[in-house]
Each structure stands twice: as C-alpha cells, then as structure tokens.
C-alpha cells in the first residue's frame, strides 16, 4: 500500500478540548509511518486546503504535540465556511482535488460539528464523483452537544463543567448580597436550538430552592408572563433569583428572544444577547436590581477546569478516526457509546456521515421538568458523568502552560491562488 499524506482541519467554534483530538490524530498517524507520511493541518480549517495553506505538523516535536492535550482554542486555526453542493460550486471541489493531488494527500480528517460533518461528507463524495481516491473521516466536536447518534459530543463536557461551576459560584455571590443589592442574576450560555449547556447549569443545585431557580431552554417556548411571575416568586421566597438562559430561547412563534436581525456565515440567525433582553423585562415589570453575564467564549475556552472525561473522549475520537481510515473505512464519524450509566462506562462506535450531516439533537422532553424551568433526575443522570474528573493543565508562573507550535506552512506547489 502506497504511503499517503493526511490532511487534518478544525472547523466551527473551537472548544477547550478540540486540540486533544488533534493530538490523537497526529500521534496516531506518527505510529504508522508505513501508511501515513506527513500530517498537514489546514490553516484556518478547510480554507487552508482551498488556499493551499498547509501546516507541516512533522516539524513539531513530540513534546509540543503532546502539549496540545492541555491547550484550548484551535491550534491550527478554525473557520466557519460551508462548502456548497458540488453541483452549485464545482470550482471549490476541483480546487480541493488539485491541492490534494499536488501534496499527495490520501486521508482527510475534519474535526467539527453538524455543518462540518456535512462538509466532511461532501469531501468524501469526491472519490466517486470526481475520480480522486481519498479516505474521509469526520471527527465530532461541538460544545452544543447537538450531534445525533453519539451519546455526547467532545467539547460539551468541559463547557457543562464550567457552566455548572460558574452557576454555583455566582449564586453564592448573589445570595450573599441580595438583602441590600442584586436580587436577580442572569447567566447567558450558548445553545441556539438545543438546551444542553443551559441544562448543565442545573447541576449547581439539587432543588428545594437551590439555584438556578430558572433555566430557559430553546425546546420550551418562552412565556414572558410565566417567566416574570417565577422570578418575582423566587425573590419573595428566597430573597434572590438565579437564571440560566440559553441564547436560543424563543417565543412560541419561533422568534428568538435575542434576534439581532442578521445572519452568520452559515446562514443562522445572529443572536444579540438574551441576558440583557431578559434583564430589561425584569427591570420594567418588577423593578428588581439585576446583573447579567454572558459566558460567551469563556465557556468554550476554559481548559483550566476541563472535564477529565471530556479530554479523554476528545483524544479517543481523534485516535480512532485515524485507525478507521487505516482500516479502509470511508465516510464515517466515530461516536461515543454509553455502555453503562453507573458506574459510567463508554466505548467508541461509528456512524455514516450521511446520517449526521446537518442534523441536530435536541434535549429529550423528559429531561425538562413539567413547568419548563428545570431539569429532571434523568437529565442529571445523563449529565453528571460528563463533567466528572479533573484534568488540570500544568502551570508556570501562576498561569496555564499551552502549546506554542511553529505552524510552518509547506511550500506551495500550485501556480494559481484561490479566492473565496
């Protein structure tokens, strides 16, 4: 079997553990020099392939590649760029093949969420439709936890741990001051159509008046009157109210509470901040003093408080992706299979990319309490093992140590540049 090079790229919003998947890919590829030559990483995702901006990871030391495990962000750069269907934009696919052929690339690994798995699936079709043999494996990643088939998505467990911890700690602050100061605190978290991250805030309390007192899910239509009534009642009963709100909270007619009136690169509605919108409702209707916070990029980059389970699973899907490719498998994505709940045990399975692309997994309705404002025990049982364990990075001078890669680009072999 001829030795071929591999192309790996990161896509979409990065996570605290996506680099652990990269580490799994690169280390595993290095164990098979008889089948994989070099691993080229796309500079800024699939854009790196289109622009022929390929990072030569063989120039990085084993030590620096190992350090990716405890480094957040995207080590090679990521992007939000969705390939159109081959019939709509054949130019892009011809360019990909041109670059792959020029650099003798026979393996393609794309690390991302639902839109990214769609891209991975489209690339896998190149072999059949355009006559270029390339083995394509998608690698799951998304903090939103909304990929189907897999029990959970690498990146989610660490966000869930961060949000649960932040909710707990902020609640103690609000409780301390509520007599004479802030009575309502609203934490906005990610989650456009699925409320998994918001649900994780519910792990901070065990019920009986413990915060968060209200969780707002995209799956449950937002009712302004019911929300304000619950806020007011919590302030009367407990002296304060803590709210965890998904950015995708929406009214019954589908309008987002935080619709900013614009679209992102994938064509999704740009959201403008549900926390300040809710805070303004509270101020106008109830007059309570409030504070709000947006977890934003902090929630997906907090490697210092990553879940050990999440780190392990992120590395595993990267490693298995390479092993799947070397076994001759095509157009698949490794998935996490929950074999046992207590004690938690998991393994790696696989699913066809064609079944994953552009699909979203929302929270089961039985994970949400009947009043629509909390999580059930079933939800707790699902979430708890995903935030389990600590995987602290090494520290130096009080700060986490991170990988600092050379990220040296290989020399271009094509005469023409590509414009997006």
């Amino acid at each position: 079997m001829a030795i071929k090079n591999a192309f790996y790229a990161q896509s979409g919003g990065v996570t605290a553990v996506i680099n652990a998947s990269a580490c799994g890919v690169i280390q595993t590829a290095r164990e098979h020099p008889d089948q994989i030559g070099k691993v080229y990483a796309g500079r800024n995702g699939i854009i790196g392939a289109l622009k022929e901006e390929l990072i030569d990871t063989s120039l990085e030391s084993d030590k620096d590649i190992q350090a990716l495990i405890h480094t957040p962000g995207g080590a090679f750069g990521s992007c939000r760029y969705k390939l159109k269907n081959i019939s709509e934009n054949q130019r892009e696919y011809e360019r990909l093949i041109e670059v792959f052929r020029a650099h003798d690339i026979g393996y393609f690994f794309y690390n991302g969420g639902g839109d990214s798995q769609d891209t991975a699936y489209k690339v896998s079709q190149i072999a059949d439709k355009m006559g270029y043999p390339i083995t394509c494996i998608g690698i799951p990643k998304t903090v939103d936890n909304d990929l189907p088939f897999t029990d959970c998505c690498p990146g989610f467990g660490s966000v869930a741990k961060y949000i649960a911890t932040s909710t707990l700690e902020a609640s103690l602050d609000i409780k301390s001051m509520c007599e004479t100061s802030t009575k309502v605190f609203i934490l906005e978290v990610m989650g456009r159509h699925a409320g998994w991250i918001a649900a994780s805030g519910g792990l901070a309390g065990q019920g009986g008046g413990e915060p968060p007192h209200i969780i707002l899910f995209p799956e449950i239509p937002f009712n302004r009157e019911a929300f304000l009534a619950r806020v007011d009642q919590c302030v009367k009963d407990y002296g304060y109210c803590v709210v965890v709100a998904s950015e995708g909270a929406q009214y019954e007619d589908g309008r987002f509470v935080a619709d900013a009136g614009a679209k992102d690169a994938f064509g999704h509605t740009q959201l403008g901040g549900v926390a300040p919108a809710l805070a303004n409702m509270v101020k106008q209707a109830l007059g309570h003093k409030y504070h709000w916070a947006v977890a934003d990029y902090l929630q997906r980059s907090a490697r210092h408080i990553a879940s050990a389970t999440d780190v392990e699973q992120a590395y595993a899907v990267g490693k298995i992706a390479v092993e799947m490719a070397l076994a001759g498998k095509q157009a698949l994505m490794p998935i996490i299979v929950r074999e046992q709940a207590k004690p938690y045990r998991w393994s790696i399975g696989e699913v066809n990319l064609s079944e994953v692309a552009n699909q979203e997994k929302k929270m089961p309705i039985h994970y949400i309490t009947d009043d629509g404002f909390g999580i059930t025990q079933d939800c707790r049982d699902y979430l708890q093992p995903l935030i389990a364990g600590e995987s602290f990075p090494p520290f130096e001078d009080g700060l986490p140590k991170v990988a600092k890669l050379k990220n040296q680009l290989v020399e271009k072999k094509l005469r023409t540049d590509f414009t997006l």
Side-chain angles (χ1 to χ4, degrees):
M1 183 177 180
I3 298 174
K4 293 288 185 179
N5 296 320
F7 176 83
Y8 165 82
Q10 299 171 323
S11 176
V14 294
T15 79
V17 299
I18 190 173
N19 287 333
S21 294
C23 181
V25 168
I26 296 169
Q27 287 186 338
T28 307
R30 288 183 176 185
E31 293 171 0
H32 299 275
D34 57 328
Q35 292 173 279
I36 299 179
K38 292 185 176 183
V39 176
Y40 296 131
R43 183 181 183 182
N44 300 322
I46 194 69
I47 291 175
L50 293 170
K51 290 186 173 182
E52 199 187 358
E53 295 179 346
L54 310 179
I55 295 167
D56 188 352
T57 69
S58 70
L59 301 178
E60 311 294 348
S61 69
D62 289 342
K63 181 180 179 182
D64 286 340
I65 293 301
Q66 177 65 26
L68 288 174
I69 287 183
H70 54 77
T71 301
F76 309 108
S78 186
C79 69
R80 295 190 185 278
Y81 189 83
K82 188 172 182 178
L83 292 178
K84 296 180 180 178
N85 291 325
I86 192 168
S87 59
E88 297 178 63
N89 197 343
Q90 187 166 330
R91 167 177 165 267
E92 287 184 333
Y93 291 89
E94 290 175 345
R95 174 64 174 186
L96 286 176
I97 290 176
E98 191 179 24
V99 172
F100 291 159
R101 181 176 284 117
H103 295 274
D104 199 23
I105 292 170
Y107 303 96
F108 179 93
F109 302 103
Y110 208 35
N111 199 173
D115 288 314
S116 306
Q117 300 309 320
D118 174 69
T119 296
Y121 177 57
K122 287 171 180 172
V123 173
S124 75
Q125 296 175 305
I126 290 176
D128 294 330
K129 294 189 177 182
M130 302 190 71
Y132 183 82
I134 185 164
T135 301
C136 181
I137 304 292
I139 303 174
K141 169 246 56 167
T142 174
V143 297
D144 292 326
N145 199 41
D146 59 357
L147 284 173
F149 299 102
T150 186
D151 177 70
C152 60
C153 300
F156 169 69
S158 295
V159 167
K161 191 179 186 78
Y162 177 86
I163 293 302
T165 301
S166 297
T167 301
L168 172 62
E169 293 176 339
S171 295
L172 294 173
D173 184 300
I174 303 304
K175 183 179 181 180
S176 302
M177 300 293 294
C178 66
E179 181 66 25
T180 57
S181 186
T182 301
K183 296 189 180 297
V184 178
F185 175 69
I186 303 166
L187 176 63
E188 177 181 328
V189 303
M190 289 178 173
R192 179 178 299 273
H193 297 125
W196 296 104
I197 298 178
S200 67
L203 294 175
Q206 295 294 327
E210 294 184 12
H213 306 104
I214 299 172
I215 304 175
L216 298 180
F217 307 93
E219 291 86 352
I220 303 296
F222 177 72
N223 183 303
R224 183 178 184 276
E225 288 68 31
F227 166 71
L228 291 172
R230 175 61 67 94
V231 170
D232 198 39
Q233 192 60 52
C234 287
V235 171
K236 291 175 180 176
D237 292 345
Y238 315 119
Y240 69 113
C241 179
V242 172
V243 180
V244 177
S246 170
E247 64 178 349
Q250 54 193 280
Y251 295 99
E252 194 164 9
D253 62 4
R255 287 182 301 115
F256 288 106
V257 175
D259 189 340
K263 303 287 184 182
D264 68 11
F266 284 135
H268 301 143
T269 298
Q270 190 74 45
L271 303 183
V274 70
L278 294 171
N280 191 51
M281 291 181 196
V282 169
K283 178 182 179 181
Q284 290 183 344
L286 304 175
H288 297 312
K289 184 175 181 180
Y290 64 82
H291 267 269
W292 55 265
V294 182
D296 201 46
Y297 287 4
L298 298 179
Q299 65 200 300
R300 74 185 197 196
S301 62
R303 180 58 185 83
H304 65 285
I305 196 172
S307 150
T309 298
D310 195 27
V311 175
E312 184 179 353
Q313 291 177 339
Y315 183 90
V317 294
K319 174 182 173 63
I320 293 295
V322 175
E323 294 174 351
M324 290 167 67
L326 294 178
K329 297 183 177 182
Q330 172 71 304
L332 299 174
M333 183 187 81
I335 60 173
I336 296 162
V337 178
R338 184 176 298 221
E339 295 187 340
Q340 182 175 300
K342 295 181 179 180
Y344 179 57
R345 287 212 317 257
W346 58 275
S347 61
I348 299 292
E350 60 189 43
V351 66
N352 291 324
L353 283 175
S354 59
E355 298 181 66
V356 179
N358 295 314
Q359 301 298 315
E360 283 184 316
K361 177 181 69 176
K362 296 187 178 182
M363 283 184 57
I365 197 64
H366 69 275
Y367 277 13
I368 302 173
T369 53
D370 291 341
D371 61 11
F373 289 136
I375 61 172
T376 63
Q377 188 59 47
D378 282 347
C379 187
R380 290 179 183 277
D381 292 342
Y382 168 78
L383 293 171
Q384 202 72 54
L386 305 184
I387 71 168
E390 286 65 57
S391 179
F392 299 119
F395 281 74
E396 185 175 55
D397 296 329
L399 292 173
K401 291 187 68 176
V402 297
K404 295 182 179 179
L405 305 183
K406 300 180 183 71
N407 279 354
Q408 184 170 322
L409 298 179
V410 303
E411 185 177 347
K412 291 188 177 183
K413 297 184 178 183
L414 302 178
R415 294 182 179 180
T416 57
D417 290 329
F418 186 86
T419 54
L420 300 175

